Amino acid sequence: MRLAGKVLILALSLLYAQEDTSEKTPVIATFKGTRLLNYHTIETLRKKHWEFRVAHRFGDIGSGVKRLWGIDDGARVRLSLDYALWDRLTIGVERSGEGPFYNAFLKARLLTQTAPRGTPVSATWYSAIFYADVPAEKWEHRLQYLHQLLVARKFSRRFSAQVGVAYLHQNYALAPTAPNDYFLLPVLLRFKVLKRLTLGTEAALPLWENELEDDEPSSYLPGYEPAIGLVVEIETGGHVFQIGVSRVSGIAEPYTLLNRGQSWRFGFNISRVFSPKDPSLQ
């Protein structure tokens, strides 16, 4: 009996240990890439891996068939290069053709969702500084700062959702009635249709009242409309190809978050992850 009792206790201990381990299994691939269409996801790169990304946004779809729904009007191009110092820390630099805009960012994973229980969500912090190469009375007027807390959950093998709080500060307001500081709520949804095919949608919702009132401090941005996007994501080995349509007035975050216009535009992103020390990505 004593031996049987010891065996039972050992078996229960092993079972508990296995259950405890399973509860702490990290959830991976909440999103396939580090961006959806216009906005960052919670994903960071693996340590010592690089990612190169090219993004294109075409003209107004409303131009019709004669302009091939905006494709004949040329493209706004954004080039990005990211590098992972560690598994949870990615840095990057980007250049956007409008302006042009230059920016550098830091992206740090704070939490990783575990399954079947444990940490219920993944969370990432993102900070960036933007420099607009445009005429300005003072050099500091060309600078903008963006900070985001991104929280996501993978609800099933197919469906993931992300919500964030974004704070954008502009040293120079876009209009006499516009503020320098904005809070927004970026929302991203992803649904996996096939092994290498995903559908997604995104929106950046304002957390301020965009109204002009005589007896209130200025808080009105003329022409503002919340940005919305739809995307089809295709994985082809080390490449991720995204094609979509979005209502945005530009391609860099200061334009996509503070969207000023109702034009819908076709666009696509293509990215490549690589590492000199990873044979599978060479």
Side-chain angles (χ1 to χ4, degrees), residues 130-144:
F130 293 83
Y131 173 81
D133 192 7
V134 296
E137 292 183 5
K138 297 182 179 180
W139 183 84
E140 56 266 26
H141 288 170
R142 300 172 180 173
L143 298 178
Q144 303 182 41

Side-chain angles (χ1 to χ4, degrees), residues 94-257:
E94 298 175 290
R95 183 193 185 277
S96 306
E98 58 213 341
F101 253 115
Y102 300 88
N103 72 281
F105 70 84
L106 178 149
K107 193 174 181 184
R109 176 69 75 95
L110 305 177
L111 294 174
T112 298
Q113 179 184 348
T114 55
R117 292 180 234 176
T119 308
V121 296
S122 295
T124 296
W125 181 265
Y126 168 89
S127 289
I129 180 171
F130 293 83
Y131 173 81
D133 192 7
V134 296
E137 292 183 5
K138 297 182 179 180
W139 183 84
E140 56 266 26
H141 288 170
R142 300 172 180 173
L143 298 178
Q144 303 182 41
Y145 308 90
L146 175 62
H147 305 286
Q148 297 188 81
L149 177 62
L150 311 174
V151 180
R153 177 174 174 83
K154 190 173 185 178
F155 289 90
S156 68
R157 185 173 62 88
R158 294 185 181 275
F159 177 67
S160 301
Q162 175 180 302
V163 63
V165 177
Y167 166 65
L168 177 65
H169 172 80
Q170 298 181 317
N171 282 351
Y172 189 80
L174 292 176
T177 57
N180 294 90
D181 300 286
Y182 300 87
F183 286 91
L184 301 104
L185 193 74
V187 179
L188 282 62
L189 303 176
R190 175 181 183 264
F191 184 79
K192 188 174 183 178
V193 180
L194 301 172
K195 182 178 180 181
R196 298 185 181 274
L197 179 66
T198 299
L199 302 179
T201 183
E202 61 183 24
L205 308 177
L207 294 178
W208 86 95
E209 293 292 334
N210 192 44
E211 297 179 356
L212 184 62
E213 299 181 8
D214 294 335
D215 57 347
E216 295 289 336
S218 297
S219 60
Y220 178 67
L221 181 61
Y224 170 78
E225 292 287 342
I228 303 172
L230 303 170
V231 61
V232 177
E233 191 174 60
I234 304 168
E235 180 190 356
T236 58
H239 294 278
V240 176
F241 182 72
Q242 299 163 319
I243 184 169
V245 58
S246 55
R247 184 176 66 184
V248 293
S249 56
I251 192 169
E253 282 88 345
Y255 286 109
T256 59
L257 289 170

